[in-house]
Amino acid sequence: MSSNNELPKLPYKSNALVLSGGGARAAYQAGVLKALAELVPESEPHPFQIICGTSAGAVNALWLASHPGSFRESVDRLCALWMDLTVDNIYRSSWRSLLGNMLSITCSLFNQGVARQRPLALLDNTPLRELVDEIIYFDNIQKHIDAGHLRAVCVNALSYSEGESVSFFQGAEELEEWRRFRRYGLRTRLTADHLLASAAIPTLFSTVKIGDDYYGDGAVRQLAPISPALHLGANRVFVVGVSDNRSPVHWGKKRHKPPRHSPSMAQIAGQLFNAAFIDSLEGDIEHLDRVNHLLGSVSESKLGDLAPLRPVESAVIEPSQSLDRLAGRKVRYLPPAVRWLFRSTGATTSGGGASAASYLLFEKPFIGELIELGYQDAMWEQDKLRAFLQPETESVQEERKGLFGIRVKPATEAENGNTQS
């Protein structure tokens, strides 16, 4: 396992797609990918050689990495899959299941908080495993790597015993494992267990045992979400987030309103989910931007002296509207038992916990709006995205040096920062 400062040897072209977590919010990523598929040049049927996903983003990532068709074909089918989803495809929504899980949690209090049989969780996500087994052909991943269409695919999970972020990756032979502070990369052959571990939202979905350890949602303790893509050799990254909080435009519009009541349980849970699924990615992107400005003040002749730093071009797309507000209007479409759970814990607009609801709202009215929003947000920046997606040539590299609009600009991999490899 490599722990030095040497960067991996890069191929001529290494575009990375980084998909964050966020439960049902990941439908937004499908909309962005739909727009990208329309903008990708016909000469580039596989525009991303490295694909990294976390939590629900891992589902999208492994779907793209395992689909036998072109990028456009895989994205079209991905959007169709999202539109066909209901809550019952992800977790059991019956009264019997919900009350049974609550009883198991209560009984665990008499056993040092440990379940006597299966791991504790408020929701039973067995349907998600069945769905993953049905739609994702894991054997195709290695076929795509062997064919040269894919350099690596990675999913991130949390090791509960070690308290560290683990990047499970499958890729080209020359790629090495790595270790950094509270995170490391581990080469493996990816399976449904790795995906389900990455998507195991704490307290909501069961942990997954891989080997001798139990793993949970990869967004937890993920200090540098972009880092795995850089370790796998990316020199350009396209990041799709699920938060509308990052843009200064949104900061100016926000007005603090005096709370009508103390925080509800769902409101508190929503902030914890946001901290896990959103804050690390936003902080990593912000750091990437700042280092970019610093590098801009260094002459090109001096950049070689800054090794192991290297330019990493980036593009970022995030929602232009509040996903919490969208979710608050769609809670009524949930099955009765889940709707009761949300309302009783304050996972509504009036309860202040609509953010928590947005992670579990796998229903067509919400999913459809997210896909459409993602598509529109990406198409608004289609000119810059087309430039970003052009095949890599020296002339294109020169043209890109002046692109800044959606953060399509050079950034850096720095050993002492969040964008470090």
Side-chain angles (χ1 to χ4, degrees):
M1 185 176 293
S2 175
S3 61
N4 55 35
N5 291 343
E6 294 181 5
L7 298 177
K9 184 178 180 180
L10 299 179
Y12 179 60
K13 178 182 64 173
S14 278
N15 295 345
L17 175 65
V18 179
L19 301 174
S20 65
R25 291 176 175 228
Y28 175 84
Q29 298 170 356
V32 173
L33 294 172
K34 179 181 178 182
L36 282 183
E38 296 181 8
L39 301 175
V40 168
E42 293 184 4
S43 60
E44 295 289 303
H46 303 282
F48 297 104
Q49 294 71 50
I50 299 168
I51 304 177
C52 299
T54 300
S55 193
V59 180
N60 291 337
L62 288 179
W63 168 265
L64 295 175
S66 64
H67 192 273
S70 66
F71 180 70
R72 179 171 296 188
E73 292 169 341
S74 62
V75 169
D76 287 344
R77 182 62 184 138
L78 178 65
C79 290
L81 284 170
W82 271 103
M83 287 302 297
D84 288 339
L85 282 183
T86 66
V87 161
D88 291 321
N89 296 126
I90 308 300
Y91 54 88
R92 302 195 190 283
S93 62
S94 66
W95 285 101
R96 179 179 180 180
S97 177
L98 180 60
L99 295 178
N101 291 335
M102 294 175 69
L103 178 61
S104 296
I105 293 173
T106 302
C107 291
S108 72
L109 300 178
F110 300 95
N111 189 40
Q112 303 181 60
V114 179
R116 296 186 182 276
Q117 297 179 350
R118 62 193 302 269
L120 292 173
L122 185 59
L123 301 172
D124 179 0
N125 66 335
T126 301
L128 176 59
R129 177 177 285 276
E130 296 171 352
L131 178 66
V132 167
D133 289 338
E134 178 184 349
I135 67 172
I136 296 183
Y137 300 94
F138 290 90
D139 290 341
N140 285 347
I141 295 176
Q142 191 59 46
K143 293 178 182 178
H144 291 167
I145 293 172
D146 295 339
H149 301 320
L150 188 66
R151 177 172 169 81
V153 59
C154 167
V155 298
N156 302 289
L158 166 71
S159 167
Y160 275 101
S161 63
E162 297 176 340
E164 295 185 321
S165 176
V166 185
S167 297
F168 295 105
F169 72 91
Q170 184 173 345
E173 292 182 1
E174 67 271 16
L175 294 174
E176 297 182 356
E177 297 179 342
W178 67 88
R179 176 172 286 279
R180 294 292 185 269
F181 177 69
R182 290 210 175 275
R183 54 194 172 89
Y184 61 93
L186 184 64
R187 177 186 287 275
T188 188
R189 194 173 185 91
L190 295 172
T191 66
D193 284 340
H194 297 99
L195 191 158
L196 290 166
S198 181
I201 302 176
T203 71
L204 295 179
F205 296 155
S206 297
T207 58
V208 177
K209 189 176 184 180
I210 301 175
D212 297 326
D213 201 357
Y214 284 93
Y215 294 86
D217 199 292
V220 180
R221 306 205 77 165
Q222 189 180 36
L223 303 178
I226 302 174
S227 173
L230 304 183
H231 273 291
L232 295 171
N235 50 27
R236 302 167 67 224
V237 294
F238 185 88
V239 183
V240 186
V242 292
S243 168
D244 64 328
N245 297 322
R246 183 168 172 261
S247 172
V249 174
H250 298 132
W251 301 343
K253 291 181 179 179
K254 293 185 177 181
R255 296 289 184 271
H256 175 71
K257 295 181 180 179
R260 293 180 296 173
H261 49 70
S262 62
S264 64
M265 293 175 60
Q267 187 173 2
I268 295 172
Q271 293 297 341
L272 293 175
F273 289 162
N274 289 343
F277 291 106
I278 294 173
D279 292 357
S280 293
L281 178 62
E282 291 185 339
D284 211 12
I285 294 171
E286 183 178 34
H287 179 80
L288 183 148
D289 289 343
R290 289 180 176 178
V291 174
N292 170 69
H293 286 298
L294 291 175
L295 279 185
S297 63
V298 179
S299 64
E300 189 170 348
S301 61
K302 296 291 185 181
L303 286 177
D305 298 333
L306 298 178
L309 303 183
R310 61 176 167 83
V312 178
E313 192 177 351
S314 68
V316 182
I317 293 289
E318 291 189 310
S320 59
Q321 297 181 31
S322 170
L323 303 192
D324 296 353
R325 289 198 199 88
L326 292 180
R329 298 196 295 264
K330 307 300 181 182
V331 171
R332 67 181 185 274
Y333 294 103
L334 287 166
V338 182
R339 190 166 64 245
W340 167 82
L341 175 65
F342 280 18
R343 288 178 174 169
S344 63
T345 58
T348 59
T349 301
S350 59
S355 179
S358 69
Y359 291 92
L360 295 171
L361 229 168
F362 294 92
E363 291 294 338
K364 189 172 183 177
F366 184 55
I367 298 294
E369 284 202 33
L370 292 184
I371 292 177
E372 182 61 26
L373 178 62
Y375 178 82
Q376 291 178 356
D377 286 348
M379 291 305 288
W380 284 338
E381 303 289 354
Q382 59 180 293
D383 291 339
K384 297 185 179 72
L385 288 180
R386 279 199 178 96
F388 184 84
L389 292 168
Q390 285 182 45
E392 193 78 4
T393 64
E394 290 185 7
S395 60
V396 169
Q397 289 177 355
E398 290 299 321
E399 291 176 4
R400 286 193 179 120
K401 288 183 179 179
L403 291 175
F404 287 89
I406 54 166
R407 311 195 193 295
V408 182
K409 52 188 179 180
T412 303
E413 179 176 2
E415 178 59 28
N416 295 318
N418 280 349
T419 56
Q420 65 188 27
S421 77

